[in-house]
Amino acid sequence: MYAAFRSIGAYVPEKILTNADLTKMVDTTDEWITKRTGIKERRIAAKNETTSDMAVKAAEKAIARSGLKKSDIDMIIVATISPDYFNMPSTATVVAHKMGLDQVSAFDISAACTGFIYVLSIAKAFIESGMKKNVLIIGAEKMSAITDYTDRGTCILFGDGAGAAVISATENKDEAILDLHTAADGSLGDFLMTPDGGTGNPHKNELKSEASFIQMKGNETFKIAVRTLTKDVVKILADNNLVPSDIAHFVPHQANYRIIKAVGDALKMKDEQIVLTVHKYGNTSGASIPMAINDLYEEGGLKAGEMMLLDAFGGGLTWGSALIPFSPLTK
Ligand code: ACO
């Protein structure tokens, strides 16, 4: 049995936070943000809008486009670092309940910006082992809830949103996810962290301190992201006897235009192969790759059988890449 990427869906909140808005909140400029990151604006969820609310909207679109019924889904996995509840219940179980799927297996994984590639790898393994048939995978983030809007080094980067995909069993090898790498290096965990609140550093009665929000060694993370991702995508292509021109769509995690450009240049990717949404959504962590695939799909740019190369790098530190043909049931 193989695992096929059947469909995509996404949701973006209505509210737009522009670079001009941020200049009123911290000491920054539109020019600095644009030049250093490529970001012009990002979406911000409503105050009462949760990560699971956004996840459900993305998931319903993905299922509607999959050619399957909701009741065909037998597992839900959510990649998030901004869950509805920090300990329990998991966001996946909240999503399952809101979708009327209370009997399916449901759990979250935490791999920051690499989350979507991690959930893809888990869905693939469950399907190839024969344990599950139709896995709903979701990347959903309310990054605004864990961002410090007094820290100009991070608040200019992040946005909210969700993306979802249906991964299904197939006997047709041509439809199968071709390859996936996931990796991590915990020795660099302090490059990107929310230090407060877990058992490693419990809350000391006060509600939220700045240590509850994201802290990042931005420049160090930038350099290691470019180095690691370049090596990782070169390897996954070589391992599968592919060259960059075999890739229809390079869909990188949307953290920073300069990281995307550096990896794209190293692969000699043409501009038209690279999917870019960072300018309009900022960095939506685990949601960024499925949101980008969804935009490509909705703009009519993603055709059955086309090969996508995904890559991502984020907190953990974690990273990964994947080679995935788009294999809709309804062609
Ligand atoms: N506006 C104006 N100036 C700023 C801002 C800002 N918003 N932020 C920082 N600066 C200043 C700094 O203080 C510094 O000033 P100094 O030279 O006087 O000390 C200067 O700009 C340069 O700062 P750097 O941090 O070296 O800038 P850099 O070019 O590295 O850009 C950025 C910063 C955009 C954060 C970049 O490092 C980056 O994108 N890093 C990688 C992020 C990433 O990929 N993270 C992983 C995924 S996220 C996740 O997993 C949740």
Side-chain angles (χ1 to χ4, degrees):
M1 205 49 87
Y2 302 103
F5 190 104
R6 290 286 187 226
S7 66
I8 189 76
Y11 167 78
V12 289
E14 259 170 53
K15 186 180 166 193
I16 295 174
L17 182 69
T18 64
N19 290 351
D21 296 330
L22 283 162
T23 62
K24 294 177 201 134
M25 298 158 72
V26 287
D27 179 17
T28 191
T29 60
D30 172 46
E31 193 201 353
W32 192 96
I33 302 171
T34 306
K35 199 164 152 220
R36 300 284 180 130
T37 71
I39 302 168
K40 297 298 280 183
E41 58 188 43
R42 60 295 286 145
R43 298 299 179 106
I44 302 295
K47 206 163 179 213
N48 61 353
E49 193 171 33
T50 61
T51 299
S52 67
D53 291 335
M54 295 189 280
V56 167
K57 287 183 179 145
E60 281 174 345
K61 256 195 190 175
I63 293 172
R65 290 169 176 168
S66 70
L68 300 171
K69 296 191 296 293
K70 200 158 71 168
S71 55
D72 293 324
I73 299 297
D74 50 13
M75 174 174 268
I76 299 174
I77 320 172
V78 175
T80 188
I81 52 167
S82 47
D84 282 21
Y85 306 100
F86 265 106
N87 300 313
M88 58 185 160
S90 70
T91 303
T93 58
V94 179
V95 167
H97 179 61
K98 286 181 177 171
M99 295 180 70
L101 291 171
D102 279 323
Q103 303 305 315
V104 308
S105 165
F107 59 96
D108 292 355
I109 68 110
S110 168
C113 299
T114 320
F116 192 71
I117 296 183
Y118 270 76
V119 285
L120 261 170
S121 72
I122 300 165
K124 178 176 182 287
F126 267 99
I127 288 170
E128 287 176 352
S129 69
M131 287 176 72
K132 297 291 172 194
K133 282 200 166 54
N134 298 301
V135 183
L136 173 64
I137 58 170
I138 303 172
E141 303 282 14
K142 187 169 180 174
M143 296 300 285
S144 59
I146 58 167
T147 296
D148 178 355
Y149 285 95
T150 65
D151 174 14
R152 68 176 182 173
T154 54
C155 74
I156 53 137
L157 300 172
F158 296 109
D160 301 336
V166 175
I167 313 298
S168 290
T170 178
E171 288 176 1
N172 180 356
K173 196 172 178 189
D174 293 339
E175 292 187 330
I177 293 174
L178 188 58
D179 200 2
L180 261 160
H181 293 159
T182 53
D185 182 353
S187 72
L188 302 175
D190 69 340
F191 275 33
L192 251 158
M193 67 189 306
T194 51
D196 205 7
T199 55
N201 190 18
H203 283 304
K204 294 170 194 73
N205 290 327
E206 72 268 31
L207 277 174
K208 265 196 171 177
S209 71
E210 70 269 17
S212 308
F213 298 116
I214 297 174
Q215 297 179 5
M216 178 168 75
K217 296 184 184 174
N219 193 259
E220 290 87 335
T221 307
F222 181 95
K223 287 182 202 145
I224 194 167
V226 171
R227 244 192 349 259
T228 308
L229 286 175
T230 303
K231 220 163 91 184
D232 208 51
V233 290
V234 165
K235 180 170 176 357
I236 199 168
L237 287 175
D239 285 352
N240 292 281
N241 297 315
L242 293 178
V243 292
S245 58
D246 294 321
I247 303 303
H249 308 289
F250 174 39
V251 194
H253 166 53
Q254 309 281 317
N256 184 320
Y257 175 69
R258 289 188 294 143
I259 298 177
I260 296 170
K261 180 88 176 95
V263 178
D265 283 352
L267 289 177
K268 299 195 170 54
M269 285 278 179
K270 298 198 179 96
D271 284 351
E272 55 268 28
Q273 287 173 282
I274 304 177
V275 180
L276 278 178
T277 57
V278 69
H279 56 291
K280 53 180 174 175
Y281 302 143
N283 180 350
T284 57
S285 189
S288 92
I289 289 177
M291 286 170 72
I293 298 174
N294 181 72
D295 272 26
L296 181 67
Y297 176 82
E298 290 190 351
E299 285 157 14
L302 182 59
K303 303 279 181 313
E306 286 185 332
M307 185 63 77
M308 295 182 279
L309 169 64
L310 318 183
D311 80 6
F313 189 91
L317 297 176
T318 53
W319 61 94
S321 55
L323 283 167
I324 299 182
F326 182 50
S327 304
L329 262 182
T330 42
K331 293 195 180 169

